[in-house]
Amino acid sequence: MTTTHTEPTPATDAAASAPQPLTMAGALNAALRDEMAADDRVVVYGEDVGPLGGVFRVTDGLQAAFGDERVWDSPLAESGIVGTAIGMALYGMRPVVEMQFDAFSYPAFEQIVSHVAKMRNRTKGRVELPIVIRIPCAGAIGGVEHHSDSSEAYWASTPGLTVVMPSSPADAYSMLREAIRSDDPVVFMEPKSRYWSKAPLTLPVQTAPMDRAQVVREGTDVTLIGYGPTVRTALDAASAAEAEDLSIEVIDLRSLSPFDDETVSASVRKTSRAAVIHEAAQFGGYGAEVAARITERNFFHLAAPVLRITGYDIPYPSPKLEEHYLPTPDRVLAAIAGWEWDLA
Amino acid sequence: MTTTHTEPTPATDAAASAPQPLTMAGALNAALRDEMAADDRVVVYGEDVGPLGGVFRVTDGLQAAFGDERVWDSPLAESGIVGTAIGMALYGMRPVVEMQFDAFSYPAFEQIVSHVAKMRNRTKGRVELPIVIRIPCAGAIGGVEHHSDSSEAYWASTPGLTVVMPSSPADAYSMLREAIRSDDPVVFMEPKSRYWSKAPLTLPVQTAPMDRAQVVREGTDVTLIGYGPTVRTALDAASAAEAEDLSIEVIDLRSLSPFDDETVSASVRKTSRAAVIHEAAQFGGYGAEVAARITERNFFHLAAPVLRITGYDIPYPSPKLEEHYLPTPDRVLAAIAGWEWDLA
Amino acid sequence: MSLNVEHHATRTLPSEKPLRLLDNAGHAVDGSETGGFSLPPVERLLELYRRMVVARRFDVQVTALTKQGRLATYPSAYGQEACEIGVISAITADDWFFPTYRDSIALLTRGIAPGEILTSFRGDWHNGYDQHRYRTTAQATPLATQALHAVGLAHAARLRRDPIVALTFLGDGATSEGDAHEAFNFAAVWQTPTVFLVQNNQFAISTPVARQTHAATLADKAVGYGMPGYHVDGNDVAAMYAVAHAAVERARSGGGPTLIEGLTYRIESHTNSDDPTRYRKAREVEHWKRRDPIERLEKYLVSEGALSDATRAEIADAAESLARETREVMTREAVIDPLELFDHVYSRPRAALLEQRAALEAELAGAAR
Amino acid sequence: MSLNVEHHATRTLPSEKPLRLLDNAGHAVDGSETGGFSLPPVERLLELYRRMVVARRFDVQVTALTKQGRLATYPSAYGQEACEIGVISAITADDWFFPTYRDSIALLTRGIAPGEILTSFRGDWHNGYDQHRYRTTAQATPLATQALHAVGLAHAARLRRDPIVALTFLGDGATSEGDAHEAFNFAAVWQTPTVFLVQNNQFAISTPVARQTHAATLADKAVGYGMPGYHVDGNDVAAMYAVAHAAVERARSGGGPTLIEGLTYRIESHTNSDDPTRYRKAREVEHWKRRDPIERLEKYLVSEGALSDATRAEIADAAESLARETREVMTREAVIDPLELFDHVYSRPRAALLEQRAALEAELAGAAR
Ligand SMILES: Cc1ncc(C[n+]2csc(CCOP(=O)(O)OP(=O)(O)O)c2C)c(N)n1
Ligand SMILES: Cc1ncc(C[n+]2csc(CCOP(=O)(O)OP(=O)(O)O)c2C)c(N)n1
Ligand SMILES: [Mg+2]
Ligand SMILES: [Mg+2]
């Protein structure tokens, strides 16, 4: 088998020199395009990723650009998609597969948990699976049932998986390229409600390594932790808090597994208070791990318990009710106001 | 459709009057038998539950006793088993289905998460699914790969499910009967390593309601929380600690979802220190929720961070290495000794 | 199961050419093409015609309302009326139906009110009708999952000796899912009274059926389960009804499951948010529009002198009045209490949920102040 | 895929009677029973005989060691040698093999050392051999999952224009899983060079095959995917080899996947922890023992004068020496470093795992002190 690994000559290089406004969907598309151009082992398949370009258009134009041996529509079966990706990776390919929505990754659960996550360890590192499983995730898009699940806790609690979630177009581009280059399987979660958010970008852009959290706004009184869609919520809360003379530091987690203890603990030791925001239900949600490990590692630096501002412990609601479910900046500020501040 | 719901005349009533030593597997078997006798809507099916009596013999003799229209071997497909149970429940049956091991419930993940958990809410309570999904769980039985997973965090973090795990024969009997009588779906987890543990019992026995945690040993210095297989670990640690004048209160959680905040918080407020033990990996494991909610609700009563004594963040190891992976009483005591006791 | 009499596996290949009773010009066909089925009586066909016309009017109305933003989404069945109405009309009110998102018009035929059908698509709540009352489950989104529910219910009914049938619809794409296989297999092994309709509308969103299967027909799948399979012209409502009716009666009398493939075409986009120009040619759509299932039956009824102007007008009136009702109900905003979010997750209240409910209640009260 | 030439769906029903080349008395059969396949050359058959004898000796040895407690578990393939050896012998070292827990003897035939095969069953580590070196994946436990891996690998090879084949084994029970269906379907749609062997040993643990399928044969499933299916006497190694060889060569030359059912019987219990007296009669086992695949071929070879006493002795020696090697390797405890637990989960070290590793290291040091 011959494989060509050309060193990165991104297709976007020439085209984009001055910053161009780019959506997250566009940035992801560019990342796929550039990585496919750089490495012919990268293939893209899944449901409707070919001529349609995916239901969110993240794979738009890729089949036209790279042909149907690099990008194709598979039969409609998620276990089949992930299961065949394992075989393709075993043969030296680097498959990037798409699950259409969080809830439609569940048929692939066994392949992901029992094989994708365990293969490297099973074989003492002799078999690597450089697979990227892209999952458009979370809600706030007015989707009917099954279209707004937040599945991150399932993946993040599974040893052997790397789980990342960008919150901006720049990170989307940089982290997806890094995920494809990773020799480990990556669950790459794309917050649907941010797909059409824009930022001016010159490609290729390289942001921080995908396993590091980032302080996206500095502050002194509270560490507010978000990821994916809730980074925006956290930033909005921080802006609003400014008016009340409350200085909030916002951390974008970026990597759910591994967890960047270093960055988070440093911030918490500075502010002595932390809160985490996510859309998923609270009970057993990812925020539980965030709260537990911050507390374990910084207990004597904490002035108050770590707060979780999350969805309720109910199934994701129907479109007309999601506004009541989703954590808002107001809800964040109310929760923070509820701390026993005088005890600090 | 006619259904007969005879009031409980347990098949075991007459037979057992003086306490008899009974294994957990035997107690579960008796619970199934008694509930099937009491309610002809209860049916039992799954892989090898008929003539073989299940690979752990929990359904031993049931097909002979109730016939093959009440107990039968299904085709080998877990999604099919759970999916058809949904249809049977819809028609007024109360199916009790068996997944052969935790890891083999994963093919049923979509049916459990997208339907079993959500049906009641989806239909505003018009459709109830009184299904019990029995899962022999966790490790410490020298099982080869895929036979020792701890899947509880997946289920417990899914809104709509009730998740319980007995640690003793008496609870196994009482809780399984209650689970079958519940109008909500219950994921009933059975710790494999405890199947052959014995206790003297007179059936029928009724223990505390299955949604309540139990203080199984009183103490004053530390609250040690276990469930299923780790209750034994916790009790052993508590006995050993006695020698060192450390008084450990042990809580058997019993119900993973819902969580009995009342019982746990009361104990923690008394001891001011808490630790939780489980076999599953630590990161994103169920212990994260335990630690997070104890801390949220009792922060100013805590003298130290809630400890998690758990498996490592790795796939469950092969039989010869599991002793190094599993939390032991020694490891519990070492962790407790590591607290900054002088700060208390 | 002791209920199992000796059943022998059916081992017949479905005909590669879809069987039909009426050709596209509305003429009755004969002999080899019919697969041995005969034309239903004309009164039955007239009733099917009425249902199809009303169903189409509803479908067109809802698509229009969706374009106006009154619904979150709507998957149209325009062009699939022969499959939808022909097959749903083969079961009785005592039988059960397990539909998908695509099958709103079959629900309508089942007597469910437009407002209740559309509760989910307009985003009010996940499901809007009483599943027990209509013996019709929520329109399933996770593909092929509902087929297993149909098999389980049918099995329960069989154990109870209740002579009812469970009917379920699947798309061509959904047949690729593992759950479709498990449903076919459980039904065949347990010999449950289940009828599977695969509506082969030739696309799963953008993916053509040629990328879903290498088999000559989707009905061929039946062979691997030892059950009868039929490959039927899905735009011929007479054939769809006749084949489904026979399958339903065989199931009811203990003869086990049947797989029916209706070969049809999705005229509209997948849902309102789809752009079909990306993956198919207008010419192809035009070709299928010329094979319209309603027109085909209409030609036959007219040629038989069975469709008077009065009847035609009466049906049009009924269709219009349903469209009006649909518009009206979709104009009135439903009253939804956000606090109900917490009320149906479990049968008994949970402390943590009551806390969260109280928090939202306080928040709403604060906002109202 | 542009690789797709016009493939036409195979639409032939496999013969209901399993095809065979040798009858139970070791006589070559003729005409209708052979399905058009011919007996492999006698040297080939002699080699298959040698492999089967050696494999059986290994299997018996490992079962004995398991009873002595040297292994955590061992699923024996006693009685299934014609399927295992006949089919594995049809691929080359360049091809890939995706086995299950049942297929240790096929691995042996593939050149993997007993100690490496048994690493997992003795509980040392999940997998003991180099998958790339032997082009053989770990023996899969989650049923049918490996079939998809075989399809994926075959597809990758096809895209690379590498003329290799991916062979995978499944049990009769495993065919009920959704993954089996998805694997068959992906393979057929993508026309991958994959050969599926279903070893119908008539039981899935305790569940008889009649509770897995209502079809006349498991090979009938092939029809639903438009691929060729063969129903073969799984105790006739000549037939198994001939059919598999043809399927492998068709796959290699771009002809797509094949499904082969070998009808055989599991003579031993499911694993050492199983109690087969609960679900099957000794009489049935005796019946199948009289249909032993090795004896059948032996009779043929003897009648052909192809099995000299010298050869027989030489084969027995080889078998004994392998058994000895197996005993020896299973007597030596493998050295396993508990700290390796942390070393292979990810390609790059993770801080949290290093912390946990250090903790265990300290614990072990403390215990050693
Ligand atoms: C398990 C699952 N995967 C993916 C989807 C997303 N999805 C919704 S409809 C659809 C296409 C279904 O096609 P088909 O079964 O042919 O039915 P049709 O829409 O044509 O009626 C897809 C992929 C889903 N709903 N469920
Ligand atoms: C997904 C899954 N479910 C259940 C099991 C447990 N299990 C192991 S072997 C077996 C029976 C398999 O029977 P079959 O496929 O006929 O293979 P055989 O053991 O007869 O070779 C079962 C149920 C499993 N390994 N994987
Ligand atoms: Mg379709
Ligand atoms: Mg078998």
Side-chain angles (χ1 to χ4, degrees):
Chain A
M1 189 186 64
T2 44
T3 59
T4 327
H5 189 279
T6 336
E7 262 320 287
T9 45
T12 43
D13 249 351
S17 49
Q20 303 282 337
L22 198 64
T23 62
M24 182 184 281
L28 291 164
N29 182 268
L32 288 169
R33 203 176 279 267
D34 289 351
E35 208 49 41
M36 291 189 76
D39 185 347
D40 73 0
R41 298 169 304 175
V42 179
V43 294
V44 169
Y45 67 101
E47 293 155 16
D48 307 299
V49 298
L52 185 64
V55 293
F56 293 106
R57 304 295 183 268
V58 171
T59 58
D60 193 20
L62 296 182
Q63 189 177 69
F66 296 97
D68 64 2
E69 293 191 17
R70 301 283 305 281
V71 180
W72 68 91
D73 290 334
S74 70
L76 207 174
E78 294 77 8
S79 189
I81 292 168
V82 175
T84 53
I86 292 170
M88 298 196 71
L90 192 56
Y91 204 69
M93 305 291 229
R94 301 180 89 85
V96 181
V97 296
E98 177 173 308
M99 305 278 98
Q100 218 161 58
F101 289 81
D102 285 73
F104 307 143
S105 64
Y106 301 157
F109 195 80
E110 181 186 36
Q111 288 286 355
I112 297 174
V113 170
S114 291
H115 289 304
V116 173
K118 295 190 168 79
M119 188 68 82
R120 194 174 199 287
N121 181 64
R122 174 182 304 152
T123 62
K124 289 201 178 182
R126 288 183 299 251
V127 175
E128 293 190 320
L129 295 181
I131 298 171
V132 176
I133 303 174
R134 293 182 38 244
I135 307 184
C137 71
I141 55 154
V144 296
E145 203 189 353
H146 307 290
H147 289 79
S148 296
D149 282 29
S150 284
S151 66
E152 71 271 15
Y154 298 133
W155 315 124
S157 65
T158 302
L161 296 178
T162 296
V163 185
V164 300
M165 196 188 304
S167 73
S168 69
D171 265 356
Y173 177 88
S174 181
M175 290 167 71
L176 182 52
R177 290 202 65 176
E178 189 180 343
I180 298 173
R181 285 169 178 245
S182 164
D183 289 330
D184 290 330
V186 177
V187 175
F188 194 92
M189 309 196 73
E190 304 170 358
K192 294 187 279 280
S193 62
R194 306 300 298 155
Y195 269 142
W196 310 113
S197 67
K198 277 189 187 158
L201 271 188
T202 305
L203 296 184
V205 64
Q206 185 168 339
T207 63
M210 70 176 183
D211 60 354
R212 300 310 303 254
Q214 289 292 293
V215 174
V216 289
R217 176 184 171 124
E218 302 214 339
T220 53
D221 300 333
V222 176
T223 300
L224 193 53
I225 300 164
Y227 53 86
T230 60
V231 173
R232 185 72 263 151
T233 321
L235 288 169
D236 289 348
S239 303
E242 217 172 43
E244 298 171 36
D245 262 355
L246 183 72
S247 166
I248 295 184
E249 176 146 311
V250 176
I251 292 185
D252 178 353
L253 225 39
R254 302 170 82 250
S255 174
L256 305 192
S257 176
F259 185 89
D260 182 354
D261 286 302
E262 200 182 324
T263 303
V264 173
S265 286
S267 173
V268 170
R269 288 180 181 216
K270 181 172 78 174
T271 62
S272 80
R273 289 171 190 267
V276 54
I277 322 178
H278 60 61
E279 285 189 15
Q282 179 164 107
F283 194 84
Y286 185 75
E289 180 61 38
V290 176
R293 54 198 306 123
I294 288 178
T295 310
E296 275 162 5
R297 287 160 192 254
N298 309 284
F299 186 73
F300 297 104
H301 299 271
L302 282 175
V306 179
L307 283 179
R308 296 184 281 169
I309 301 109
T310 66
Y312 304 117
D313 293 336
I314 62 173
Y316 195 91
S318 53
K320 294 231 181 102
L321 289 169
E322 69 182 353
E323 60 167 315
H324 299 292
Y325 173 90
L326 292 165
T328 55
D330 278 355
R331 211 173 269 172
V332 171
L333 293 177
I336 287 175
W339 264 325
E340 310 193 20
W341 280 93
D342 43 5
L343 285 174
Chain B
M1 189 185 64
T2 45
T3 60
T4 327
H5 188 280
T6 335
E7 261 322 286
T9 44
T12 44
D13 248 352
S17 48
Q20 303 281 337
L22 198 63
T23 61
M24 182 183 282
L28 292 164
N29 182 270
L32 288 169
R33 203 176 279 268
D34 290 351
E35 208 50 40
M36 290 189 77
D39 185 347
D40 73 359
R41 297 169 303 174
V42 179
V43 294
V44 169
Y45 66 100
E47 293 155 15
D48 307 298
V49 299
L52 185 65
V55 293
F56 293 104
R57 303 295 183 268
V58 171
T59 58
D60 194 18
L62 296 182
Q63 190 176 70
F66 295 97
D68 64 2
E69 294 191 17
R70 300 284 303 282
V71 181
W72 68 91
D73 291 332
S74 70
L76 207 175
E78 294 77 9
S79 189
I81 292 168
V82 175
T84 54
I86 292 170
M88 297 197 71
L90 192 56
Y91 204 71
M93 304 292 230
R94 300 179 90 85
V96 181
V97 296
E98 176 174 306
M99 306 279 99
Q100 218 161 56
F101 289 81
D102 286 72
F104 307 143
S105 65
Y106 301 157
F109 195 81
E110 181 186 35
Q111 287 286 355
I112 298 175
V113 170
S114 291
H115 289 304
V116 173
K118 295 190 168 78
M119 189 68 82
R120 194 175 200 287
N121 181 65
R122 174 182 304 151
T123 63
K124 289 200 177 182
R126 287 182 301 250
V127 175
E128 292 189 322
L129 294 181
I131 297 172
V132 176
I133 303 175
R134 293 182 39 245
I135 307 184
C137 72
I141 55 156
V144 295
E145 202 189 354
H146 307 291
H147 289 79
S148 296
D149 282 30
S150 284
S151 65
E152 72 271 14
Y154 298 135
W155 316 123
S157 64
T158 302
L161 297 178
T162 296
V163 185
V164 301
M165 196 189 302
S167 72
S168 69
D171 265 356
Y173 178 87
S174 181
M175 290 165 71
L176 182 51
R177 290 201 66 175
E178 189 179 344
I180 299 173
R181 281 165 182 249
S182 165
D183 289 331
D184 289 330
V186 178
V187 175
F188 193 91
M189 309 197 72
E190 306 170 358
K192 293 188 282 276
S193 63
R194 307 300 299 155
Y195 268 142
W196 310 113
S197 66
K198 277 190 188 159
L201 270 188
T202 304
L203 295 184
V205 64
Q206 187 169 337
T207 63
M210 69 176 184
D211 60 353
R212 299 311 302 254
Q214 289 292 294
V215 174
V216 290
R217 174 183 173 124
E218 302 215 339
T220 53
D221 300 333
V222 176
T223 299
L224 193 52
I225 300 165
Y227 53 86
T230 60
V231 174
R232 184 73 264 151
T233 320
L235 287 169
D236 289 348
S239 302
E242 217 172 41
E244 299 171 37
D245 262 356
L246 183 72
S247 167
I248 295 183
E249 175 145 312
V250 176
I251 293 186
D252 178 355
L253 225 38
R254 301 169 84 250
S255 174
L256 304 193
S257 174
F259 184 90
D260 182 354
D261 285 302
E262 201 181 324
T263 303
V264 173
S265 286
S267 174
V268 170
R269 287 181 183 217
K270 182 172 76 175
T271 62
S272 80
R273 288 171 191 269
V276 54
I277 322 179
H278 61 61
E279 287 188 14
Q282 179 163 110
F283 194 84
Y286 185 75
E289 180 60 39
V290 176
R293 54 197 306 122
I294 288 178
T295 310
E296 274 162 5
R297 288 162 192 254
N298 309 284
F299 186 74
F300 298 105
H301 299 271
L302 282 175
V306 179
L307 283 179
R308 295 185 281 170
I309 301 108
T310 67
Y312 303 117
D313 293 336
I314 63 173
Y316 195 89
S318 54
K320 295 231 180 102
L321 289 170
E322 69 182 352
E323 60 167 317
H324 299 292
Y325 174 90
L326 291 165
T328 56
D330 278 356
R331 210 172 270 170
V332 172
L333 293 177
I336 286 176
W339 262 325
E340 311 192 22
W341 280 93
D342 43 4
L343 284 174
Chain C
M1 318 286 319
S2 41
L3 275 176
N4 273 7
V5 289
E6 263 313 298
H7 283 284
H8 289 293
T10 303
R11 246 179 143 241
T12 323
L13 279 170
S15 76
E16 194 159 347
K17 193 156 185 287
L19 68 86
R20 57 180 186 168
L21 300 177
L22 294 178
D23 69 14
N24 198 35
H27 300 136
V29 300
D30 57 5
S32 68
E33 283 194 75
T34 67
F37 291 92
S38 15
L39 262 183
V42 77
E43 317 81 70
R44 188 89 283 239
L45 291 174
L46 189 60
E47 177 57 22
L48 291 171
Y49 174 76
R50 168 199 302 279
R51 291 178 183 189
M52 289 201 292
V53 170
V54 171
R56 165 134 343 147
R57 184 65 191 90
F58 172 77
D59 193 275
V60 167
Q61 179 62 69
V62 180
T63 296
L65 288 165
T66 308
K67 287 190 180 134
Q68 293 161 31
R70 296 238 149 249
L71 287 93
T73 189
Y74 180 68
S76 157
Y78 194 114
Q80 301 181 209
E81 292 86 355
C83 286
E84 295 274 348
I85 308 303
V87 178
I88 197 67
S89 299
I91 62 169
T92 72
D94 286 337
D95 297 324
W96 276 79
F97 178 42
F98 294 77
T100 77
Y101 52 88
R102 176 82 55 215
D103 309 315
S104 301
I105 61 173
L107 268 67
L108 189 74
T109 309
R110 204 113 170 101
I112 308 179
E116 295 190 352
I117 296 172
L118 299 176
T119 298
S120 59
F121 293 130
R122 71 141 83 175
D124 294 347
W125 197 272
H126 305 301
N127 171 244
Y129 45 89
D130 187 330
Q131 305 200 10
H132 286 289
R133 174 168 167 207
Y134 296 105
R135 299 198 161 205
T136 301
T137 52
Q139 293 180 259
T141 296
L143 295 165
T145 55
Q146 81 286 357
L148 280 164
H149 308 166
V151 175
L153 183 132
H155 188 53
R158 181 161 142 77
L159 292 176
R160 295 280 184 223
R161 272 72 177 171
D162 292 347
I164 65 116
V165 171
L167 169 68
T168 184
F169 287 4
L170 288 87
D172 46 307
T175 63
S176 296
E177 290 281 4
D179 272 10
H181 163 69
E182 298 187 16
F184 299 153
N185 193 45
F186 275 64
V189 172
W190 292 352
Q191 286 292 297
T192 64
T194 317
V195 175
F196 300 99
L197 168 66
V198 174
Q199 292 192 70
N200 180 358
N201 64 6
Q202 306 190 48
F203 285 93
I205 308 185
S206 70
T207 307
V209 67
R211 297 207 181 283
Q212 299 294 348
T213 187
H214 188 69
T217 81
L218 290 169
D220 285 9
K221 291 184 184 290
V223 175
Y225 307 96
M227 69 173 155
Y230 295 94
H231 183 214
V232 187
D233 182 331
N235 285 13
D236 176 4
V237 72
M240 289 308 300
Y241 175 81
V243 174
H245 189 263
V248 165
E249 291 319 312
R250 182 170 50 249
R252 200 186 301 291
S253 60
T258 301
L259 176 63
I260 304 170
E261 173 188 5
L263 182 67
T264 180
Y265 194 82
R266 193 195 77 213
I267 299 289
E268 278 285 346
S269 54
H270 170 70
T271 65
N272 48 304
S273 52
D274 180 34
D275 174 9
T277 62
R278 285 177 169 250
Y279 55 81
R280 66 184 192 186
K281 296 243 180 342
R283 226 184 27 220
E284 186 182 286
V285 182
E286 288 316 313
H287 169 79
W288 280 93
K289 277 194 178 155
R290 286 192 301 274
R291 304 169 60 86
D292 189 85
I294 301 183
E295 284 172 22
R296 187 186 307 198
L297 180 60
E298 186 168 319
K299 286 178 196 149
Y300 174 75
L301 291 175
V302 167
S303 74
E304 294 290 300
L307 189 63
S308 67
D309 286 352
T311 309
R312 212 192 281 260
E314 184 243 308
I315 293 175
D317 273 3
E320 274 320 311
S321 104
L322 181 81
R324 199 175 323 110
E325 180 192 338
T326 304
R327 283 194 303 275
E328 275 166 20
V329 74
M330 296 310 286
T331 315
R332 286 195 303 275
E333 274 297 319
V335 187
I336 323 168
D337 178 4
L339 294 176
E340 235 189 308
L341 280 175
F342 303 94
D343 295 350
H344 308 295
V345 186
Y346 303 99
S347 64
R348 289 185 302 177
R350 281 194 176 191
L353 259 72
L354 293 177
E355 286 173 18
Q356 294 174 8
R357 190 182 201 278
L360 178 58
E361 195 166 10
E363 208 179 280
L364 294 169
R369 240 186 287 122
Chain D
M1 319 285 318
S2 40
L3 276 176
N4 272 7
V5 288
E6 260 316 295
H7 284 283
H8 289 293
T10 303
R11 247 180 142 238
T12 323
L13 278 171
S15 77
E16 194 159 348
K17 192 156 186 287
L19 67 86
R20 57 180 186 169
L21 300 177
L22 294 178
D23 69 15
N24 198 34
H27 299 137
V29 300
D30 58 4
S32 68
E33 282 193 76
T34 65
F37 291 92
S38 13
L39 263 184
V42 78
E43 317 80 71
R44 188 87 282 240
L45 291 175
L46 189 60
E47 177 57 22
L48 290 171
Y49 174 75
R50 168 199 303 278
R51 291 178 183 189
M52 288 202 292
V53 171
V54 172
R56 166 138 337 152
R57 184 65 191 91
F58 172 77
D59 193 275
V60 167
Q61 179 62 69
V62 180
T63 296
L65 287 166
T66 308
K67 286 190 179 132
Q68 294 161 29
R70 297 236 148 249
L71 287 94
T73 189
Y74 180 68
S76 157
Y78 195 112
Q80 301 181 209
E81 291 87 354
C83 285
E84 296 274 349
I85 308 303
V87 178
I88 197 67
S89 300
I91 62 168
T92 72
D94 285 338
D95 296 325
W96 275 80
F97 179 43
F98 294 78
T100 77
Y101 52 88
R102 177 81 56 214
D103 310 315
S104 301
I105 60 173
L107 269 66
L108 189 74
T109 309
R110 204 116 169 98
I112 309 179
E116 293 190 353
I117 296 172
L118 299 175
T119 297
S120 58
F121 293 131
R122 71 140 80 172
D124 293 346
W125 197 271
H126 306 301
N127 171 242
Y129 46 89
D130 186 330
Q131 306 198 12
H132 285 290
R133 174 167 166 207
Y134 296 105
R135 297 197 162 205
T136 301
T137 53
Q139 294 180 257
T141 295
L143 295 166
T145 55
Q146 81 286 357
L148 280 164
H149 309 168
V151 175
L153 182 132
H155 189 52
R158 181 162 143 76
L159 292 176
R160 295 281 183 221
R161 271 71 177 171
D162 292 346
I164 64 117
V165 171
L167 169 68
T168 184
F169 287 5
L170 288 87
D172 46 308
T175 64
S176 295
E177 291 282 4
D179 272 11
H181 163 69
E182 299 187 16
F184 299 154
N185 193 45
F186 275 63
V189 172
W190 292 352
Q191 288 291 298
T192 64
T194 316
V195 176
F196 301 100
L197 168 66
V198 174
Q199 292 193 70
N200 179 357
N201 64 6
Q202 305 190 47
F203 285 94
I205 306 186
S206 70
T207 307
V209 65
R211 297 206 181 285
Q212 298 295 348
T213 186
H214 188 70
T217 81
L218 290 169
D220 285 9
K221 290 184 184 290
V223 175
Y225 307 97
M227 68 173 156
Y230 295 94
H231 183 215
V232 187
D233 182 332
N235 285 13
D236 176 4
V237 71
M240 290 308 300
Y241 175 80
V243 173
H245 189 263
V248 166
E249 290 319 311
R250 182 170 48 250
R252 200 186 301 290
S253 60
T258 301
L259 176 63
I260 304 171
E261 174 188 3
L263 183 66
T264 180
Y265 195 82
R266 192 195 76 213
I267 299 290
E268 278 284 346
S269 54
H270 170 70
T271 65
N272 47 305
S273 53
D274 181 34
D275 174 10
T277 63
R278 286 177 169 250
Y279 55 81
R280 66 184 192 185
K281 297 245 181 339
R283 229 186 23 224
E284 187 182 285
V285 182
E286 288 315 315
H287 170 79
W288 281 92
K289 277 194 177 154
R290 286 192 301 274
R291 304 169 59 87
D292 189 85
I294 300 183
E295 284 171 21
R296 187 186 307 196
L297 180 59
E298 187 169 317
K299 285 179 197 148
Y300 175 75
L301 290 175
V302 168
S303 74
E304 293 290 300
L307 190 62
S308 68
D309 286 351
T311 309
R312 212 193 279 262
E314 183 244 309
I315 293 176
D317 274 2
E320 274 320 312
S321 104
L322 182 81
R324 200 175 320 112
E325 179 193 338
T326 305
R327 283 194 304 274
E328 275 166 20
V329 74
M330 296 312 286
T331 315
R332 286 196 303 277
E333 274 297 318
V335 187
I336 322 168
D337 178 5
L339 295 176
E340 233 187 311
L341 280 175
F342 304 93
D343 295 351
H344 308 295
V345 186
Y346 301 99
S347 65
R348 287 185 302 176
R350 279 193 176 191
L353 259 73
L354 293 177
E355 286 172 17
Q356 294 175 7
R357 190 182 201 278
L360 178 57
E361 195 166 12
E363 209 179 279
L364 294 168
R369 239 184 288 123

